[in-house]
C-alpha cells in the first residue's frame, strides 16, 4: 500500500519561504507523476502543480512565479517551495500521486494526510 | 479564466439518490477532461472515489458512480447513507498539463 507523508514547518512569517517534503513509502516514486494541492481553512481545493519522476514540472499559472517543485528519486521524496508567503497562503497542503492508466493521467489515487501551514506575523 | 462549477450544497434523504454535477463556465465537460471525484470529511484528506469519468477507485462502494450527463460530469450516489455526508470535489484536466478543481459541493444527508 502506497503511503505519502508531508513534512515541514507549520508556522511561517510573511515574506518567508514555505518548504515542504512529501515522503513516499510502500512504492517507488519512479514511473509516476506527483502533485501538490492546498486548501485554505474552510475553502476548496487548489491544484498547485505536479512533478514527473524525471523532474519535469507543470505549475498553476497563478502560483508559478513563486513555486518550485522538485523530485529526489534517491530519497523517494518530492518537495514544494513557495516563496514570499502571505496570510493568503495559510492552508492545509496535501501531496498526492497521479493515477495514470494507459489512456493518460486521470486524477489522483493516493493522498497524504496533509499538513497545516499558517502564515502569521 | 476557466472556472469549474459545482453546486455549493445539496441534500438527500437516507436511502435516496442524488446526482452532483461538475461543469465549466464556458463549454462542455467531456471524457477528454478526465473528470475525477473526491470525498472529504472535515479534518481529513480527500479520498478518491471516481477517476477517468466513471471508474470506481479500489474499495469504493458501487453506490457511487460517475458519468457524463449532458454537458457536465456527474457523480451519482444511489442509496445514500449517513456517512456519505461530506464535501465532494471534482477535478478536470484542462490540457497542457493543467488541472482545476471545482469549488466543491457540501452534501447533507437528512
Amino acid at each position: 500500500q502506497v503511503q505519502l507523508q508531508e513534512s515541514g514547518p507549520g508556522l511561517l512569517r510573511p515574506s518567508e519561504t514555505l518548504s515542504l517534503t512529501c515522503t513516499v513509502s510502500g512504492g517507488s516514486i519512479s514511473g509516476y507523476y506527483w502533485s501538490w494541492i492546498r486548501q485554505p481553512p474552510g475553502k476548496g481545493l487548489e491544484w498547485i502543480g505536479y512533478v514527473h519522476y524525471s523532474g519535469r514540472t507543470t505549475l498553476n499559472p497563478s502560483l508559478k512565479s513563486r513555486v518550485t517543485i522538485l523530485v529526489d528519486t534517491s530519497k523517494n521524496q518530492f518537495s514544494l517551495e513557495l516563496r514570499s508567503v502571505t496570510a493568503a497562503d495559510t492552508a492545509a497542503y496535501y501531496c498526492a500521486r497521479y493515477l495514470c492508466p494507459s489512456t493518460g493521467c486521470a486524477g489522483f489515487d493516493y493522498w497524504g494526510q496533509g499538513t497545516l501551514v499558517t502564515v502569521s506575523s | 479564466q476557466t472556472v469549474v462549477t459545482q453546486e455549493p450544497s445539496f441534500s438527500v434523504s437516507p436511502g435516496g439518490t442524488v446526482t452532483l454535477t461538475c461543469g465549466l463556465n464556458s463549454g462542455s465537460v467531456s471524457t477528454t477532461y478526465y473528470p475525477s471525484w473526491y470525498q472529504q470529511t472535515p479534518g481529513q484528506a480527500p479520498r478518491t472515489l471516481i477517476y477517468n469519468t466513471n471508474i470506481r477507485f479500489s474499495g469504493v462502494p458501487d453506490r457511487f458512480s460517475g458519468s457524463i450527463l449532458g454537458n457536465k460530469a456527474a457523480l451519482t450516489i444511489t442509496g445514500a447513507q449517513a456517512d456519505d455526508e461530506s464535501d465532494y470535489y471534482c477535478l478536470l484536466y484542462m490540457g497542457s498539463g493543467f488541472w482545476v478543481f471545482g469549488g466543491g459541493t457540501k452534501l447533507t444527508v437528512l
Side-chain angles (χ1 to χ4, degrees), chain A residues 37 39 43-47 50 58-61 94 98-99 101 103-113, chain B residues 34-36 38 40 43-48 50-52 57 87 89 91 93 96-103:
Chain A
I37 299 105
Q39 184 174 37
K43 297 188 178 180
L45 300 169
E46 179 180 29
W47 178 77
Y50 73 72
T58 298
L59 305 174
N60 187 325
Y94 297 97
Y98 274 96
L99 196 163
T103 51
C105 290
F108 303 116
D109 50 9
Y110 294 103
W111 294 71
Q113 66 185 28
Chain B
Y34 295 98
S36 53
Y38 306 89
Q40 187 181 37
Q44 299 297 313
R47 167 199 179 198
T48 302
I50 300 288
Y51 67 96
N52 211 357
F57 187 59
D87 295 328
Y89 293 93
L91 174 68
Y93 178 59
S96 302
F98 298 107
W99 299 76
V100 179
F101 282 100

Side-chain angles (χ1 to χ4, degrees), chain B residues 15-78:
Chain B
T17 296
V18 62
T19 297
L20 312 181
T21 67
C22 176
L24 294 169
N25 62 333
S26 178
S28 299
V29 177
S30 65
T31 57
T32 62
Y33 285 82
Y34 295 98
S36 53
W37 292 89
Y38 306 89
Q39 177 191 49
Q40 187 181 37
T41 53
Q44 299 297 313
R47 167 199 179 198
T48 302
L49 295 176
I50 300 288
Y51 67 96
N52 211 357
T53 305
N54 57 11
I55 303 176
R56 268 187 300 277
F57 187 59
S58 174
V60 175
D62 60 7
R63 66 177 185 275
F64 292 93
S65 62
S67 64
I68 298 292
L69 286 181
N71 62 350
K72 296 181 179 182
L75 173 71
T76 299
I77 307 172
T78 304

Side-chain angles (χ1 to χ4, degrees), chain A residues 9-85:
Chain A
L11 179 63
L12 292 172
R13 306 292 188 195
S15 80
E16 291 184 333
T17 294
L18 179 158
S19 295
L20 297 176
T21 297
C22 182
T23 301
V24 179
S25 59
S28 175
I29 204 167
S30 295
Y32 291 93
Y33 291 83
W34 305 88
S35 187
W36 287 99
I37 299 105
R38 71 178 182 177
Q39 184 174 37
K43 297 188 178 180
L45 300 169
E46 179 180 29
W47 178 77
I48 297 173
Y50 73 72
V51 61
H52 186 243
Y53 75 98
S54 65
R56 179 169 57 88
T57 62
T58 298
L59 305 174
N60 187 325
S62 69
L63 297 169
K64 184 176 183 178
S65 64
R66 298 193 292 134
V67 167
T68 300
I69 299 178
L70 299 173
V71 64
D72 187 337
T73 55
S74 68
K75 295 182 178 179
N76 234 33
Q77 295 176 334
F78 64 104
S79 63
L80 170 69
E81 181 181 278
L82 177 64
R83 297 173 290 278
S84 303
V85 298

